[in-house]
Amino acid sequence: MPEKMACFQYIVAALCFAVLLEGSLSKAQLTPTFYDETCPNVTAIIRHVLVNASFSDPRIGASLIRLHFHDCFVQGCDASILLDDPVNGEKEAIPNNNSARGYEVIDAMKAALESACPNTVSCADILAIASEQSVSTLAGGPSWAVPLGRRDGFTANRTLANSNLPGAHTFGRAQCLTFTSRLYNFTGVGDTDPTLNTTYLEELRQICPQGGNSSVLTNLDPTTPDGFDNNYFTNLQVNRGLLRSDQNLFSTEGADTIEIVNRFSSNQTAFFESFVESMIRMGNISPLTGTEGEIRSNCRAVNSATIRSNSDAALVSSI
């Protein structure tokens, strides 16, 4: 399902990134000042497009954060998820197909940046900045200086995208199909998930009636659905985690994550600090820098010159 990952959920990425990613972090020197001379208004331009998009689409913040995560966990942070590729495209991978969204907003950001600073800002960096702005500007969460200087990759990898990809749970929405088994048939005998708060159970049944439309959306965080805060953790303490994979963090007897849920529930500052660290670490997974990759003019396709160059190289090697 699109809202799961192998280790923990995106929202507790800080709990495992420091250990799991240590060996894969790039030594490349990304820096928040990368565009200071070449495109000093890059963040303001992205913020403007993002805020305008949010007026008609309150889900866009969570969607763009998810795109950034799903990009970085496949070949590194190289904007491969944005490529339109009918054969290897990551958009059609199982965790993304009919689920990942926000591509048109990235297109609008790219168009605005190409107008202001042609051939300068990579699509990979747009995803990174848009994620930070989604958290800080749209959702009232923490802000951070985004390390920049990534370049865009030439290929997508659907096979990798079909393996463990993270979700985003502190705000955003989930389809009924991701949790209805908890409401009606938890163990296959018509029962409900015993860890689900009974009042919350009835609320969810009203939204997702048995046999109803499985694509209906409901809030991942029933308390502050569009805010970025630590209510995700307090929800788990009272058995109001929407997804079973979330609730397991608190309801699994003896789990190490229980102490973390309790700590972040009582200390939002600690959660924000850990989250920011995890975002910076994740954004530094194997970026292309220097002369690697390219700066796409269209985030959905590699540049035509790159295609010609690669074709010429293949022709030469075959002679």
Side-chain angles (χ1 to χ4, degrees):
M1 289 186 289
E3 298 296 341
K4 289 187 177 182
M5 63 183 288
C7 177
F8 298 125
Q9 279 50 259
Y10 152 98
I11 194 59
V12 288
L15 315 182
C16 56
F17 278 1
V19 175
L20 296 184
L21 302 185
E22 192 65 36
S24 61
L25 295 179
S26 169
K27 301 303 181 183
Q29 294 300 306
L30 303 180
T31 171
T33 62
F34 188 81
Y35 297 111
D36 280 8
E37 299 296 328
T38 57
C39 195
N41 295 322
V42 56
T43 299
I45 292 170
I46 289 174
R47 182 190 306 120
H48 177 74
V49 175
L50 176 64
V51 170
N52 284 342
S54 71
F55 293 145
S56 58
D57 183 4
R59 299 171 57 200
I60 193 59
S63 297
L64 294 184
I65 295 172
R66 188 162 179 255
L67 281 183
H68 183 39
F69 263 72
H70 284 209
D71 177 46
C72 290
F73 275 82
V74 179
Q75 303 184 152
C77 305
D78 63 352
S80 58
I81 193 172
L82 302 179
L83 289 172
D84 287 339
D85 182 341
V87 177
N88 295 312
E90 295 164 25
K91 293 179 179 180
E92 291 77 23
I94 294 171
N96 297 325
N97 195 31
N98 297 319
S99 175
R101 57 192 299 277
Y103 302 111
E104 295 80 6
V105 176
I106 297 296
D107 291 340
M109 292 172 178
K110 181 61 175 175
L113 287 166
E114 285 299 299
S115 177
C117 319
N119 306 313
T120 301
V121 182
S122 69
C123 301
D125 277 348
I126 291 173
L127 284 172
I129 296 171
S131 293
E132 188 278 333
Q133 287 294 303
S134 293
V135 172
S136 63
T137 298
L138 293 189
S143 63
W144 61 94
V146 181
L148 301 168
R150 302 167 189 82
R151 288 167 66 84
D152 300 321
F154 300 132
T155 61
N157 191 320
R158 188 178 299 174
T159 300
L160 284 180
N162 275 324
S163 60
N164 304 320
L165 279 175
H169 297 168
T170 188
F171 66 135
R173 313 289 186 269
Q175 297 180 16
C176 289
L177 62 87
T178 63
F179 59 86
T180 48
S181 64
R182 301 185 70 198
L183 313 183
Y184 302 107
N185 196 27
F186 185 60
T187 64
V189 293
D191 56 341
T192 60
D193 185 342
T195 68
L196 193 59
N197 179 286
T198 54
T199 301
Y200 190 39
L201 168 65
E202 294 307 317
E203 294 172 4
L204 293 175
R205 282 178 165 175
Q206 292 297 314
I207 298 168
C208 303
Q210 192 167 21
N213 185 351
S214 63
S215 297
V216 170
L217 297 168
T218 191
N219 297 321
L220 284 160
D221 178 353
T223 309
T224 51
D226 295 312
F228 190 96
D229 51 37
N230 65 339
N231 279 326
Y232 167 88
F233 300 100
T234 58
N235 291 337
L236 298 183
Q237 290 176 318
V238 293
N239 293 335
R240 291 175 67 91
L242 181 65
L243 304 179
R244 175 62 179 172
S245 54
D246 287 342
Q247 191 59 53
N248 279 344
L249 298 173
F250 186 75
S251 297
T252 301
E253 185 176 355
D256 294 340
T257 49
I258 295 174
E259 183 277 328
I260 298 169
V261 169
N262 289 335
R263 177 160 55 89
F264 285 169
S265 174
S266 62
N267 189 339
Q268 181 165 277
T269 299
F271 165 54
F272 279 6
E273 290 173 349
S274 293
F275 176 80
V276 167
E277 179 182 358
S278 76
M279 289 297 289
I280 293 173
R281 282 179 170 272
M282 186 200 70
N284 203 34
I285 299 176
S286 304
L288 301 173
T289 60
T291 59
E292 300 173 313
E294 66 177 3
I295 304 298
R296 290 183 209 146
S297 58
N298 174 358
C299 290
R300 294 174 180 261
V302 298
N303 297 334
S304 57
T306 301
I307 296 174
R308 289 196 299 272
S309 176
N310 290 344
S311 297
D312 291 345
L315 178 62
V316 169
S317 66
S318 66
I319 295 175

